[in-house]
Structure formats: structure tokens, C-alpha cells
Amino acid sequence: MKTAKVILLAVVGLLLLADVSWRIWTWNANADIRVFAKQFKLETFHTNDVSAVGIADAKTGKLLLMDWDYGDGLKPGELSYFSDGTNILNVYFRKDKPTVYRFIFHGPDKSETWWFDRLGKNSFEERVFYNTNGDFSRFDVWYKNAWQTVDKRNGTNGLVIDGQWCQLAVDTNRDWMIITNR
């Protein structure tokens, strides 16, 4: 009988030791999750059939990053970046089209700029500026290793080169080129 009590006590002691060891190991294994939870919090949003997951500063509650899922099968999604809770950059992922970047500037002369890779070269070839009212301001293309302002005439995009207006086109290398009437 005494041997049975000793064995039972040993088994309970080993189980207790295993439980404490398991808890210590789990605590240490999840240390990075605890650190993350102290600095950030995850938030979910759903409105008008659109869902989003956001990461916010745990202390202030201000958003840092938001991932949008339109769930319609047409729009792959949008990623929004925030600074101090204010949206400063949206990245639009489009099905079978290059990604579009929208930089938002806040302040007295606030505006925004959209950057495009329409030619599919994994580099920016176009940018569109909007003024403080959100109205179109300027359209630029990357031509001859510099940004050039597009001059639209009679519904056709062109550049003014040496005082001469020239129509814009895309060459076989997917670079901007001009068509001259010289």
C-alpha cells in the first residue's frame, strides 16, 4: 500500500513538473506575440460588402496599415498605409493589370499623385497630379530619362519638344516615343 502511494505521488509529481514545464515553454514560445500585442492591435472592418483588416497602434488606436478585400472577384484588393492615423498611401492591386500607387499629401496645400506602370515594365512611366480640390492638375510621362509634362491637344497626348508639339506613342520596347511631323 505504501509503495502504491509512493508511485502515485511520483506520477502526480511528474505530471505537475510536465505541466509547469509546458507552461514555461509556451510562455517563452509566445513572447513575440505578447510583444506584438503590446505595440499593435488587429482590427476588422466590414461595410457595404467590403471587408478590411487593419493594424493599429495599441496605445493610440491610430491605424498604421489596412488591407481591403472587395470580395467581388473583380478587384483583387487595396493596401492602405497610415502615418499617425492619416492615410498617406494606397496601393491598388488590379486583376491582370499593373499595380497603381496613390500618394496622398495632407496640409494646407494638400494634393495627391497617382503613379502608374501602364506599360508593364515594373517601373513607373506615368504619374498624374491632382490639386487641393481633387481636380486634375498635370499628367507626366517618363521620357528620355526625365519626367515630361503631357500637353493634350485635340484629344491626343503629346509633348512639346524644342517648341514643337509632338504626339506621344509607345514603341515596340514599351517605351514612350514621340511622332514628329518633320
Side-chain angles (χ1 to χ4, degrees):
M1 186 71 159
K2 191 172 183 176
T3 307
K5 285 183 180 180
V6 170
I7 292 174
L8 183 62
L9 188 60
V11 169
V12 169
L14 285 173
L15 286 174
L16 184 61
L17 181 62
D19 180 60
V20 170
S21 297
W22 178 258
R23 289 176 190 259
I24 291 171
W25 180 81
T26 304
W27 175 262
N28 287 327
N30 294 328
D32 48 346
I33 294 172
R34 286 191 313 279
V35 169
F36 179 86
K38 286 181 184 177
Q39 294 178 351
F40 307 105
K41 65 180 179 177
L42 292 175
E43 297 184 7
T44 58
F45 306 92
H46 187 79
T47 180
N48 299 334
D49 296 326
V50 178
S51 297
V53 175
I55 298 175
D57 184 295
K59 292 178 182 133
T60 65
K62 293 181 179 179
L63 280 171
L64 302 169
L65 179 74
M66 186 176 289
D67 184 18
W68 297 90
D69 178 14
Y70 295 100
D72 61 3
L74 300 174
K75 301 177 207 156
E78 173 184 333
L79 195 58
S80 299
Y81 295 88
F82 295 79
S83 175
D84 201 27
T86 302
N87 188 208
I88 58 169
L89 169 64
N90 292 334
V91 181
Y92 301 97
F93 303 99
R94 304 176 310 157
K95 193 172 192 160
D96 300 325
K97 293 182 181 178
T99 303
V100 175
Y101 300 81
R102 176 183 171 217
F103 294 88
I104 306 160
F105 305 97
H106 299 275
D109 294 324
K110 64 183 178 187
S111 63
E112 60 185 63
T113 305
W114 292 66
W115 292 67
F116 299 90
D117 171 23
R118 287 187 213 235
L119 303 179
K121 295 182 65 160
N122 294 320
S123 64
F124 296 115
E125 303 98 9
E126 297 180 23
R127 61 185 185 184
V128 179
F129 294 83
Y130 296 90
N131 65 18
T132 57
N133 298 323
D135 297 325
F136 173 81
S137 176
R138 188 175 88 223
F139 172 41
D140 292 345
V141 296
W142 186 253
Y143 175 73
K144 298 277 186 185
N145 295 320
W147 288 107
Q148 306 289 332
T149 300
V150 173
D151 184 358
K152 192 169 194 168
R153 297 185 184 178
N154 298 323
T156 304
N157 290 330
L159 299 177
V160 176
I161 308 290
D162 297 327
Q164 170 94 23
W165 184 88
C166 304
Q167 182 178 344
L168 263 175
V170 178
D171 67 15
T172 56
N173 294 326
R174 298 185 307 190
D175 288 323
W176 287 110
M177 62 177 262
I178 56 170
I179 301 171
T180 58
N181 295 328
R182 295 178 187 172

